[in-house]
Every structure is written in C-alpha cells, then in structure tokens.
Amino acid sequence: MHVLLISTYELGRQPFGIASPTAWLKRAGATVECLDLSIQRLDGEAVERADIVCFYVPMHTASRMAIRLTPRVRELNPDAHLCFYGLYASVNEKLFRSLGADTVIGGEFESGLVSMLRRIEQKQESVQSEPVVNLDRLSFIAPDRSGLPSLDQYASITLTDETTRVAGYTEATRGCKHLCRHCPVVPVYGGNFRVIPRPVVVSDIEQQVAAGAQHITFGDPDFLNGPGHALKIVDELHARWPDLTYDATIKIEHLLKNAESLPRLRETGCVLVTSAVEAIDQHILEIFDKHHTREDFERAVALCREAGLALNPTFVTFTPWTSLEIYQELLEVLATLDLVENVSPIQYAIRLLIPFGSRLLELPEAQAIVKPFDPLALVYPWDHPDPRVDALHQTVLEIVEAGQRNSETRTRIFERVYAATIASLGKSDGLDRKIRYPVDGYGLPAVPYLSEPWYC
C-alpha cells in the first residue's frame, strides 16, 4: 500500500507530524512518500501512484492551503483514499468531509493512521471506524525524517553573536493541561497533554544533529507542562551535545512557577523562550482565561533577564475588545520594558482567530460579535465595534509587511507602528506622547532571531 503524506506549512520547520507517522506506517508495511509543500512543488506523479493521500493540518495556514490543494489532488487521483490529520482536522471535520475526505483524525493520530491503513488493505468497510479525536496514550517510536528535504532548507536561527545555525525541530509533549479560551489546542485535547518518551525525543534529536542541526526548536504547546520530563531531556541533550542550542515555548504562569529552573535552561543551551503573553489588558486576559496578569508578564521578563534567557513574547494584538488606547499602551509597555527588539513585527498585526469549537464561543461577549462561520476561512469572522481599530490593523499589517520586505529593523518597524497608532487617535504630532525607553537599558545584545517570520 502506497501512502503519500503532505505537509503544506509548519512555520518553516521540518515537520514532526510527517516524520512521526512515516515511521509508524513504514513499520506497518506501507511504502511512504513525503512532500513538504513549503519547500517542494506538488508532485503530480507522487499523487497519482498513491493509494492513500494524507494532508497534515497542524495549524490554520496549513489547513487553508490544504483546502485549496484538495481539488487538484482529487483531479490527479480520484480513487485515492483521502485523509486529513492533525490539530485542525477534527475541529474542521465537516468541511474536510465536504471536500471528499474519507478519514479525519485529530489528537494522537499515528495509531489512527495505521488503523486506517489496515482497514483499507483488508478492504473493510469504507466508513471510518477510527475515532475522529484520539487521546490514547501511544507507544511512540523514533520519527523517520529520511523522506523530507534537508534541514538546511528550513528555518534557521541567528544568535546574538550574529552566527546563523541550522535548526531542527522536535516535540517532547503534545496537548496542554491549560484551557485558554482562544487556543486551538483546547477543543481537541480538552486540558490533556501527552508525553513523548525521553529516549524517543533524544533519538530524534540525535538523527537531526547527524543531519547537520546545530539548534533544536521544541514545538510543544508548553515545554513545562511536564517540567521534570523537559528538564531531564535538556540535561541529556546538553551532556551529549554541549554546543547544541535550543528554544522552547513556555507559558508566563510556568515561567513564574518554575523560576528556579530558568538558569538550568540557560546552562543547558536554551537561547530563546517564546511565551504567549497575548495582552496586557486585564479584561482581555480574563476573556482569554490566561491565568496571568500584566504584573506577572513584567515579572517573567525580569526573571528571564536574570537567568540570561531571551524572551520572545507573542500577542493577539487585535481583538474585539482592544481599543486604540489599549493598543497604544501595549506598545508603550514593550518600549518601557526594552522589548522592542524581542518582538517579531508580525506580532503587532496578529488578529484574533475564532475557529470552530473555540471556548471563546462560550462567552456572551464573543457570541455578540461573531458572524456565521466561514468554512473557507475556517473562522467565525468579526468586525470591531470601532471601525478605527480595524483600519489601524490594516495599516499596521501593511507597515509590517513592507518593513520585512525591505529588511527594516524591528525598532524601525515598531516606530512606524507607534506613529500610525498615534495618528489613528487623531493626534497631530506622533511625538506628543513620547515613548519612555529605559535610560540605561539592560546592556543586552540583540536577541536570537528565527528566520521564519510568520506565526499561525
């Protein structure tokens, strides 16, 4: 049985969600081909020879790209069994079925893909028997990355000494034990997270180091959901490859709770911590159910600096509850905390996505503003009650796109965004309320940059 696994986009990373099921399906006897369309073209011959075509849909952008490609795949091979799997598969099941999907699997998908393979091999019923959302605890095996493009074709990281390193990617856990209302992980995992055994994670890192990786991105929704598990992994990583660096995503709440472990992260090679701050306005934080405050964020900034860790804060800057004044305040806080160089410019233009199944829809505040679900955009659209905010969002997006296209510095892009914000408030002079930068700063070098600027 010939299986084609297709990844459309995953933030410039070599996709774990292709490499892991490749190993499972090969062990089950399948012939597996892989296509990563962020780097490669759609191979019509590979589609034509496949008995099963599987789209990996771990995120919003990847899902929309898969939707656009599905008619072409169907045209090339109308008889292939069509599958969608990954985080966005189950929540968009109805749409994927309407496009001709035979199997849809969310959550822990590897065992479901093998079950699908067996069902098709044995010519059993064509109707899917595997659960659409699978949260079973799997016995993971080392991913097989042999069919993917080489690591040097993916995103890299530039360190503070301006050296660029080839970046690999792996996952130590899946899911998340938190229930943030805006997060796409929550409708699938519902507060559960699953651990990938340490030997499997280390084995995956080992093969990437052998393939040229000098840096590893841990793609867990939160690396410290299981702090004991994570710390054992980075201890072993550092013992085996002392020069290997890494980055991880850690919730503000977990940075505070595990403050004593932050120096240990730095000592074992961590150079960058991404944290989904989302907002500094308390009302918005409560709507999102983030379980941190602005003061917590400021404390986390201080803790990371004390530990020598660069913090990469991310935000949902435009929401139905974001006023012009709230947006201006966020910019000023970032400047005051000396974080302008830490923030990827696209963060200034992130607009809240409300996908199917979002916990935000539990709230009257959200129900009051959403329009009917748009199956092609995969979201419930919304307009801001203040048209000036939507207009500012469009302006900021244009500033960011032009700035990145013209290789402007993060500080220059920030200054232009701030000036546009002041103008949107009707102020004649963009400097009539000056940003208060720290007098002495923190003496920090430029922060590490991942070369992939997009986000969702």
Side-chain angles (χ1 to χ4, degrees):
M1 190 68 64
H2 199 113
V3 181
L4 175 63
L5 302 179
I6 301 176
S7 173
T8 54
Y9 179 69
E10 197 180 11
L11 295 170
R13 304 160 172 168
Q14 192 186 66
F16 181 92
I18 294 290
S20 180
T22 293
W24 284 65
L25 290 166
K26 282 185 175 180
R27 186 178 64 174
T31 299
V32 181
E33 282 191 83
C34 305
L35 285 176
D36 186 344
L37 301 186
S38 67
I39 294 175
Q40 302 166 298
R41 293 182 178 274
L42 183 67
D43 184 341
E45 293 183 358
V47 174
E48 290 172 352
R49 59 178 167 259
D51 300 298
I52 304 170
V53 176
C54 301
F55 278 105
Y56 175 48
V57 286
M59 53 190 295
H60 185 261
T61 299
S63 301
R64 294 191 64 181
M65 293 175 71
I67 289 168
R68 291 199 297 267
L69 285 167
T70 298
R72 178 58 177 157
V73 168
R74 274 298 190 208
E75 179 185 347
L76 288 167
N77 190 342
D79 297 325
H81 187 97
L82 185 59
C83 171
F84 291 81
Y85 72 97
L87 188 66
Y88 269 70
S90 54
V91 293
N92 294 296
E93 178 189 9
K94 183 177 179 180
L95 172 61
F96 292 141
R97 298 283 188 198
S98 74
L99 297 174
D102 301 294
T103 300
V104 176
I105 304 174
E108 304 297 278
F109 46 74
E110 285 89 346
S111 62
L113 292 174
V114 171
S115 175
M116 172 194 68
L117 173 70
R118 295 291 186 226
R119 171 165 53 89
I120 296 168
E121 283 179 332
Q122 296 168 13
K123 296 182 170 38
Q124 297 175 354
E125 69 278 1
S126 59
V127 177
Q128 178 175 342
S129 56
E130 300 77 26
V132 173
V133 177
N134 179 29
L135 295 183
D136 290 348
R137 298 180 186 276
L138 305 184
S139 298
F140 284 94
I141 60 176
D144 183 337
R145 299 177 176 273
S146 60
L148 288 163
S150 60
L151 285 176
D152 59 7
Q153 297 184 64
Y154 289 91
S156 59
I157 188 166
T158 299
L159 301 182
T160 55
D161 61 1
E162 299 186 355
T163 60
T164 298
R165 292 188 158 209
V166 174
Y169 172 85
T170 195
E171 298 173 5
T173 60
R174 283 190 183 146
C176 184
K177 63 183 180 183
H178 295 276
L179 297 169
C180 303
R181 287 193 181 96
H182 64 301
C183 179
V185 175
V186 174
V188 179
Y189 281 89
N192 295 288
F193 79 103
R194 295 290 178 258
V195 169
I196 299 172
R198 178 160 49 98
V200 173
V201 179
V202 173
S203 176
D204 189 28
I205 294 171
E206 180 177 36
Q207 66 173 318
Q208 293 183 76
V209 170
Q214 302 159 304
H215 176 92
I216 295 292
T217 290
F218 286 99
D220 311 38
D222 194 303
F223 193 53
L224 294 185
N225 263 323
H229 175 60
L231 291 171
K232 288 178 181 176
I233 287 173
V234 297
D235 283 344
E236 183 169 350
L237 178 154
H238 186 61
R240 295 188 60 178
W241 304 286
D243 295 328
L244 189 69
T245 54
Y246 67 91
D247 69 276
T249 298
I250 303 174
K251 188 176 173 68
I252 292 293
E253 182 180 352
H254 287 170
L255 290 173
L256 301 183
K257 185 177 180 180
N258 298 281
E260 74 287 348
S261 297
L262 300 186
R264 187 169 165 191
L265 295 180
R266 182 68 185 92
E267 291 161 5
T268 54
C270 185
V271 295
L272 186 66
V273 172
T274 297
S275 193
V277 180
E278 314 300 37
I280 60 167
D281 178 78
Q282 193 56 38
H283 178 58
I284 297 174
L285 288 170
E286 289 172 358
I287 287 174
F288 285 179
D289 200 17
K290 283 299 296 181
H291 287 262
H292 71 249
T293 64
R294 170 177 167 174
E295 292 72 26
D296 290 335
F297 165 47
E298 292 174 350
R299 177 60 180 151
V301 171
L303 287 171
C304 285
R305 284 194 167 126
E306 291 168 10
L309 292 170
L311 184 65
N312 171 37
T314 63
F315 300 92
V316 182
T317 38
F318 286 91
T319 78
W321 310 282
T322 304
S323 66
L324 294 177
E325 292 78 8
I326 287 173
Y327 187 79
Q328 178 190 5
E329 183 181 19
L330 171 62
L331 297 179
E332 292 179 351
V333 166
L334 294 178
T336 300
L337 294 175
D338 197 21
L339 287 174
V340 170
E341 283 295 311
N342 294 59
V343 177
S344 175
I346 191 61
Q347 294 301 315
Y348 303 128
I350 296 294
R351 196 172 192 271
L352 175 66
L353 301 179
I354 305 180
F356 191 84
S358 171
R359 282 194 64 222
L360 284 172
L361 297 171
E362 300 170 0
L363 301 178
E365 299 100 306
Q367 294 173 4
I369 57 95
V370 297
K371 300 176 183 180
F373 186 74
D374 183 339
L376 295 181
L378 299 181
V379 295
Y380 289 91
W382 56 270
D383 294 322
H384 199 284
D386 182 351
R388 296 178 304 164
V389 177
D390 283 340
L392 178 61
H393 171 257
Q394 186 59 40
T395 299
V396 170
L397 185 59
E398 291 170 0
I399 289 171
V400 170
E401 289 177 341
Q404 292 182 334
R405 187 167 56 249
N406 297 325
S407 301
E408 294 181 353
T409 66
R410 289 183 171 188
T411 295
R412 176 56 184 147
I413 294 172
F414 173 88
E415 289 170 345
R416 292 176 61 200
V417 168
Y418 185 77
T421 304
I422 293 297
S424 71
L425 285 162
K427 299 181 179 180
S428 58
D429 183 356
L431 298 177
D432 68 345
R433 181 175 180 181
K434 293 183 180 180
I435 305 174
R436 182 173 66 83
Y437 288 93
V439 176
D440 298 321
Y442 291 87
L444 298 177
V447 298
Y449 283 39
L450 285 161
S451 62
E452 175 58 49
W454 196 237
Y455 182 65
C456 62

